[in-house]
Amino acid sequence: MADAFRSRSATDPSTASTASSCFFNLGFFKIPLDQHFSKPNNENMKFALFAVTIAAVSAGRPQLSIQVRDGSFDGLDGLDPSLTWSSSTKSGDYDLEVGVDVAARPTADLASLPRSAWGVASRSFGAWGVSARADVERDNMDNAAIEVNADNSGDDLSFKLFANAGSSGSSVNRIEATKSFNSGDARVTVNPRMDVASKDVDVTIGYDAGRTNVEVEASQQEQTLKVSQQIDDDNRVAPSFALRSGKVAVEWERNLGDDNSLTTTFRPDEEIEMEWKDADWTANIQMPLSGNAISGANVSVKREVNF
């Protein structure tokens, strides 16, 4: 992984304006860790996002998503359709992928259609598989969300870094690691995480024994215990308990056959969530609760569409 990191000094004409600039380097994908950027031209950024849309559409296979917002089921105004495309290729040792989320509404302003775009570059460094991903939202094109992953499958060890890079500079937001190992007939996973700004640390510990799965999530503010039990071939129940706040949730997954399922999560006085998977269709329903009353509903329906 050492080859993935580089440093450029002021002797490099391209960086003469800074005394020293450090980069995470994944081929063409460089993440500045200490450099401030000049403010990009917003119109150029819109054009670049539109260009990514054209590139993805020309080679990818779309996924259609239709969402109903705030329980508004009357008329077409309550619908929020979008199309997601992605396209991948290979360049030398690098696997490259680009994608875009586009509003599926009629408009004369084509540049306004893309909502977000993302790109991923990945390759192997010895036993490590390393990837870097950048996401840009149309409403905040001065900033990109960065995610860097390093995974060693042989040692069951992985690291993640989440950062922002934009016109006001760059910053690392969160880092985490995951380590898995066998313990008797069970599989144990330890996942510590740290928020860089606040220095808050939390950890998730999972214990998977086949039909029984136990997960403990602990931070300074809360400790949560979740126990998942496979009742039979068609039913799984997973209650969870927050030890400090006393909040309770119950998850029930029903196998409908042919890899179809219905998962319902009940959080008293908060919400009911349902996810229904039926072949190529996935429907998500979120219903806020106020006491015993349901106040509105958010519905999204997704399907992979082949043109």
Side-chain angles (χ1 to χ4, degrees):
M1 287 182 63
D3 293 339
F5 293 89
R6 294 288 184 267
S7 176
R8 297 194 301 180
S9 68
T11 58
D12 186 340
S14 66
T15 57
S17 61
T18 60
S20 177
S21 297
C22 297
F23 290 83
F24 181 88
N25 186 353
L26 193 61
F28 72 88
F29 214 136
K30 297 180 180 179
I31 303 171
L33 300 180
D34 60 356
Q35 178 177 316
H36 288 269
F37 300 88
S38 60
K39 186 175 179 63
N41 184 289
N42 198 47
E43 291 303 317
N44 290 339
M45 292 291 286
K46 287 182 180 179
F47 176 80
L49 188 57
F50 182 65
V52 171
T53 303
I54 299 301
V57 168
S58 64
R61 191 169 66 174
Q63 183 182 67
L64 173 65
S65 173
I66 302 175
Q67 184 165 339
V68 180
R69 295 185 180 276
D70 302 322
S72 176
F73 294 92
D74 296 330
L76 296 178
D77 290 340
L79 299 179
D80 185 24
S82 65
L83 287 170
T84 303
W85 276 274
S86 65
S87 180
S88 60
T89 186
K90 192 172 181 66
S91 177
D93 294 332
Y94 295 90
D95 294 315
L96 308 176
E97 190 172 4
V98 64
V100 66
D101 180 43
V102 182
R105 288 181 175 274
T107 178
D109 183 10
L110 296 181
S112 69
L113 289 175
R115 295 175 172 174
S116 63
W118 53 267
V120 180
S122 58
R123 64 159 294 178
S124 296
F125 294 92
W128 290 88
V130 182
S131 67
R133 173 178 174 131
D135 289 80
V136 178
E137 300 288 336
R138 186 180 182 278
D139 294 336
N140 185 18
M141 301 191 70
D142 292 344
N143 185 73
I146 307 297
E147 179 180 338
V148 180
N149 292 276
D151 180 75
N152 188 323
S153 57
D155 290 336
D156 286 324
L157 178 65
S158 65
F159 297 93
K160 288 185 179 181
L161 179 147
F162 300 88
N164 285 319
S167 59
S168 60
S170 57
S171 62
V172 177
N173 301 328
R174 191 171 85 252
I175 56 176
E176 64 178 76
T178 303
K179 173 64 178 178
S180 299
F181 57 91
N182 294 323
S183 177
D185 295 331
R187 185 75 169 165
V188 177
T189 301
V190 182
N191 175 215
R193 301 176 293 268
M194 184 182 76
D195 185 291
V196 176
S198 65
K199 304 297 191 251
D200 289 339
V201 177
D202 62 85
V203 62
T204 299
I205 302 174
Y207 181 87
D208 187 356
R211 298 180 71 88
T212 302
N213 185 292
V214 179
E215 182 179 273
V216 177
E217 185 170 349
S219 67
Q220 293 181 345
Q221 294 75 30
E222 187 63 276
Q223 297 80 45
T224 303
L225 173 66
K226 181 178 181 179
V227 180
S228 176
Q229 179 66 47
Q230 192 72 39
I231 304 300
D232 52 36
D233 291 341
D234 295 328
N235 295 278
R236 180 184 62 85
V237 177
S240 62
F241 311 90
L243 303 184
R244 285 196 176 185
S245 64
K247 292 183 177 180
V248 178
V250 179
E251 178 183 298
W252 172 39
E253 180 181 14
R254 172 70 177 177
N255 181 15
L256 304 177
D258 297 327
D259 292 328
N260 302 324
S261 63
L262 176 62
T263 303
T264 303
T265 303
F266 172 58
R267 298 181 179 89
D269 206 30
E270 288 188 32
E271 64 181 2
I272 298 174
E273 289 185 349
M274 302 178 69
E275 181 180 71
W276 180 17
K277 295 182 179 180
D278 186 5
D280 295 331
W281 291 91
T282 300
N284 292 91
I285 304 172
Q286 189 262 340
M287 296 174 287
L289 289 176
S290 179
N292 295 325
I294 296 176
S295 55
N298 293 322
V299 181
S300 66
V301 180
K302 295 182 179 180
R303 178 192 166 90
E304 188 175 272
V305 180
N306 300 319
F307 291 99

